[in-house]
Amino acid sequence: MIGEGLQAVNARIARAAAAAGRDPEAIRLVAVTKTHAPERIEEAYRLGQRDFGENYVQEALEKMDHLRARLAKEAAAGKAAANDPAGRPIEWHLIGPLQANKTRPVAERFGWVHTVEREKTARRLSEQRPANLAPLNVLVQVNISGESSKSGVPPGEALALARAIAPFPRLKLRGLMAVPEPTPDVALQRARFRAVRALFDEMNRAGLLLDTLSLGMSADLEAAIAEGSTLVRVGTAIFGVRTPARSAA
Ligand SMILES: *Cc1c(COP(=O)(O)O)cnc(C)c1O
């Protein structure tokens, strides 16, 4: 079931990339696993998926522990190489809001944070990133459709925030992330993604070295890829509809 979902999403990415004249390899798929049991993440891992997105820190830490224990057991049994021929480790992406008092476990255990919207949070992440790990990849979240969502900085403030956090030594500022208000209107989806892309280009012209545009989910990944997304965050289309049981954690 997860295998079919993953295959279908990878096929959608490939088709959308082809339609846009883009290399599908340039688009990273982050499998969004919020509310889903660790066994389902493990199943996706067995199928080769390596990037996973979680919204809630505590929930994510439990799943990381589960996966780590499972994989350590295999490594001890000498089976790791068979299950991980590419040798690529799991990368965890925090895609939900981050409170300033919860940065430490995030700095210690995630590879990416998509939701930076304050200099203070970024500074703490940099200070708390362990020296033995690569710098933490971060994205500035932009509030593109303005209204309902309170997450993200207004587009007019993104460049200043990016300039403030780019020098932090233990962070690597990679780009922008946005979650536009859902709409079935594909032209409107594209217009909103295009606005984020324009901001991204403007920031690169201003001298920032950004390479990641985190845009697109189950319902709108084609529009996002058409407008230049390099990373899509997909849950429902891989794992099915979420039951809300754990979502308020
Ligand atoms: C839940 C979530 C997703 C995945 O949404 P689907 O519609 O299930 O693909 C992507 N990005 C963010 C920020 C999310 O919270």
Side-chain angles (χ1 to χ4, degrees):
M1 229 193 81
I2 291 175
E4 284 168 26
L6 261 180
Q7 220 170 17
V9 169
N10 279 312
R12 283 175 64 188
I13 291 170
R15 268 197 308 274
R22 300 184 53 202
D23 176 4
E25 296 295 319
I27 299 152
R28 185 191 289 242
L29 169 62
V30 173
V32 175
T33 45
K34 60 173 176 244
T35 79
H36 295 303
E39 289 75 15
R40 312 197 73 200
I41 303 178
E42 195 179 327
E43 193 179 339
Y45 176 87
R46 304 280 173 222
L47 296 163
Q49 180 63 30
R50 289 295 181 272
D51 288 279
F52 294 98
E54 286 280 342
N55 290 63
Y56 308 101
V57 175
Q58 192 52 43
E59 182 184 334
L61 297 178
E62 289 167 21
K63 295 176 185 178
M64 289 175 189
D65 289 341
H66 173 97
L67 266 287
R68 191 147 76 174
R70 293 278 304 175
L71 300 177
K73 212 185 268 177
E74 280 185 9
K79 283 190 276 180
N83 282 316
D84 192 6
R88 174 147 122 69
I90 291 182
E91 289 226 60
W92 293 96
H93 298 246
L94 183 70
I95 63 169
L98 176 58
Q99 293 164 22
N101 64 350
K102 289 215 183 124
T103 50
R104 185 172 294 279
V106 174
E108 290 176 350
R109 304 200 51 191
F110 281 81
W112 291 73
V113 175
H114 290 226
T115 49
V116 170
E117 46 184 332
R118 293 175 63 201
E119 183 181 343
K120 180 182 168 198
T121 310
R123 175 177 290 112
R124 291 176 61 113
L125 287 169
S126 182
E127 287 168 356
Q128 294 166 345
R129 182 68 168 174
N132 63 316
L133 298 181
L136 181 65
N137 297 296
V138 298
L139 304 173
V140 167
Q141 184 173 356
V142 181
N143 185 351
I144 206 66
S145 36
E147 53 358 278
S148 52
S149 156
K150 278 158 257 118
S151 291
V153 297
E157 293 171 21
L159 179 58
L161 177 60
R163 281 190 163 134
I165 68 180
F168 289 161
R170 302 294 299 140
L171 302 185
K172 187 164 183 184
L173 176 65
R174 300 289 298 264
L176 301 176
M177 178 269 212
V179 186
E181 190 183 16
T183 168
D185 178 346
V186 174
L188 186 53
Q189 290 173 6
R190 287 193 56 162
R192 286 171 172 160
F193 289 136
R194 200 177 309 132
V196 186
R197 167 66 188 271
L199 183 58
F200 176 85
D201 289 344
E202 181 194 323
M203 291 165 73
N204 273 332
R205 281 195 300 273
L208 292 159
L209 301 169
L210 309 181
D211 65 3
T212 303
L213 259 179
S214 171
L215 298 175
M217 323 202 315
S218 292
D220 56 13
L221 68 87
E222 283 83 2
I225 289 169
E227 298 298 343
S229 169
T230 69
L231 184 159
V232 293
R233 308 172 312 269
V234 181
T236 309
I238 298 173
F239 299 102
V241 177
R242 286 178 290 275
T243 48
R246 296 189 66 169
S247 65

